[in-house]
């Protein structure tokens, strides 16, 4: 149990370091990636490429057919249907992501760097998340 | 389309991305869970309570600690964690929360984990949120 918690913490640490090095904590850089009609910074394509290369290799080598160390089985999403919730939710998220240059991971990773600076965004985002969970069950 | 070569950081971004992928793989191989930040956060909001809270909290503490380790060793600095003006910032924050909850995932869960599993739902989600993001930036930067 302690080791399971430690492994989650280690995953978080690696993730947080990766986000910082990748440039994902800089909202201006994220907006620069989305600004394909202006001065376009393609860096985030490489963030995705690096992330997917490592994760996909591991997934196809170890996850399919295997078993995790601290759980009885892998918890993988079972939904297969592309439904309106997926599309509507992604449209709303994309607009917010573009407007602020922030998505949930970098918001959390910014807490220690500038608590006062990120708090308003974090608080409103959590309210939105809770509202979204409720709305999701009703549409 | 004009490429912003001055801001382009291919090596650092690829390396950072590789670490993000490694973090997702590590969480999957140990806890057996998808590294999706919005889903993990949603699992922490009341009225949820169980052992499932603890690994989520440990993961969140890890994310906060990671960049602090870098700054502690003088390896990283950041100018500003937010750049948008107040009104836009609050609207964006609400949309990010609402959208990731309704769409069942964000850049980490759909973008890194889902695409790695070749999930059609995640491909649709990523295509949708990137397009919406491009549109939002276009409207904000080039129409106003």
């Amino acid at each position: 149990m302690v080791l399971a918690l430690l492994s989650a913490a280690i995953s978080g640490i690696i993730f947080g370091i990766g986000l910082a090095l990748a440039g994902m904590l800089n909202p201006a850089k994220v907006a620069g990636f989305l600004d394909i009609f202006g001065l376009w910074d393609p860096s985030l394509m490489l963030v995705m490429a690096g992330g997917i290369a490592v994760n996909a290799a591991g997934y196809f080598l170890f996850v399919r057919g295997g078993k995790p160390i601290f759980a009885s089985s892998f918890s993988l999403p079972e939904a297969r249907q592309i439904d309106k919730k997926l599309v509507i939710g992604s449209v709303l998220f994309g607009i917010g992501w573009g407007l602020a240059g922030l998505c949930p991971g970098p918001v959390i990773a910014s807490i220690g760097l500038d608590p006062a600076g990120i708090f308003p965004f974090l608080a409103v985002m959590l309210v939105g998340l809770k509202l979204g969970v409720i709305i999701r069950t009703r549409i | 389309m004009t490429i912003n070569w001055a801001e382009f950081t291919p090596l650092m971004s690829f390396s950072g991305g590789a670490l993000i992928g490694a973090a997702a793989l590590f969480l999957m191989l140990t806890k057996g869970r998808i590294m999706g930040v919005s889903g993990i956060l949603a699992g922490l909001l009341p009225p949820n309570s169980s052992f499932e809270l603890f690994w989520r909290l440990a993961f969140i503490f890890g994310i906060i600690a990671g960049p602090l380790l870098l700054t502690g060793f003088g390896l990283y600095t950041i100018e500003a964690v937010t750049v948008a003006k107040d009104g836009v910032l609050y609207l964006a924050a609400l949309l990010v929360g609402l959208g990731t909850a309704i769409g069942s995932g964000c850049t980490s869960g759909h973008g890194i984990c889902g695409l790695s599993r070749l999930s059609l739902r995640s491909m649709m989600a990523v295509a949708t949120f990137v397009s919406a993001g491009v549109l939002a930036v276009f409207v904000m930067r080039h129409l106003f």
Side-chain angles (χ1 to χ4, degrees):
Chain A
M1 151 131 178
V2 174
L3 286 177
L5 290 183
L6 194 63
S7 66
I10 291 170
S11 168
I13 291 171
I14 301 171
F15 181 47
I17 291 175
L19 284 173
L21 296 183
M24 294 289 296
L25 305 190
N26 179 357
K29 189 171 184 69
V30 174
F33 165 70
L34 295 171
D35 192 10
I36 59 173
F37 299 107
L39 256 182
W40 186 50
D41 175 0
S43 303
L44 262 69
M45 301 250 301
L46 288 139
V47 180
M48 287 202 111
I52 292 170
V54 172
N55 195 36
Y59 178 75
F60 286 100
L61 280 173
F62 306 117
V63 176
R64 293 210 312 184
K67 185 175 155 324
I69 301 172
F70 301 120
S72 51
S73 63
F74 292 113
S75 305
L76 296 169
E78 280 159 14
R80 293 282 176 274
Q81 196 87 31
I82 292 173
D83 54 14
K84 65 174 190 253
K85 283 184 238 186
L86 184 83
V87 177
I88 294 169
S90 298
V91 167
L92 298 178
F93 166 47
I95 295 171
W97 189 40
L99 290 179
L102 282 166
C103 52
V107 171
I108 301 300
S110 298
I111 292 174
L113 297 172
D114 181 3
I118 204 64
F119 181 76
F121 193 97
L122 174 68
V124 177
M125 180 181 85
L126 291 178
V127 170
L129 199 60
K130 188 72 213 176
L131 283 174
V133 169
I134 296 165
I135 292 169
R136 194 173 178 281
T137 59
R138 304 193 178 175
I139 54 175
Chain B
M1 182 185 292
T2 316
I3 293 184
N4 190 350
W5 295 107
E7 296 292 328
F8 187 40
T9 53
L11 267 179
M12 279 303 266
S13 287
F14 187 84
S15 314
L19 283 177
I20 295 169
L25 182 62
F26 189 72
L27 189 69
M28 181 54 75
L29 293 179
T30 54
K31 275 297 294 172
R33 304 300 285 253
I34 295 274
M35 192 190 74
V37 178
S38 59
I40 290 172
L41 278 177
L44 279 174
L45 297 173
N48 299 305
S49 65
S50 73
F51 170 68
E52 292 297 300
L53 282 182
F54 294 107
W55 75 266
R56 290 187 159 97
L57 276 177
F59 175 71
I60 297 295
F61 278 123
I63 304 181
I64 299 171
L68 288 179
L69 284 173
L70 287 180
T71 53
F73 287 104
L75 297 170
Y76 182 70
T77 51
I78 186 157
E79 285 171 34
V81 292
T82 62
V83 290
K85 293 190 182 73
D86 272 354
V88 174
L89 195 76
Y90 290 125
L91 173 66
L94 188 68
L95 290 173
V96 169
L98 275 175
T100 53
I102 297 171
S104 308
C106 56
T107 5
S108 50
H110 282 310
I112 300 291
C113 300
L115 293 189
S116 294
R117 296 186 302 114
L118 304 176
S119 153
L120 287 177
R121 270 173 59 85
S122 291
M123 290 179 199
M124 182 67 192
V126 173
T128 307
F129 66 63
V130 170
S131 306
V134 165
L135 190 69
V137 169
F138 177 75
V139 169
M140 194 173 54
R141 286 196 175 176
H142 304 295
L143 292 188
F144 286 98

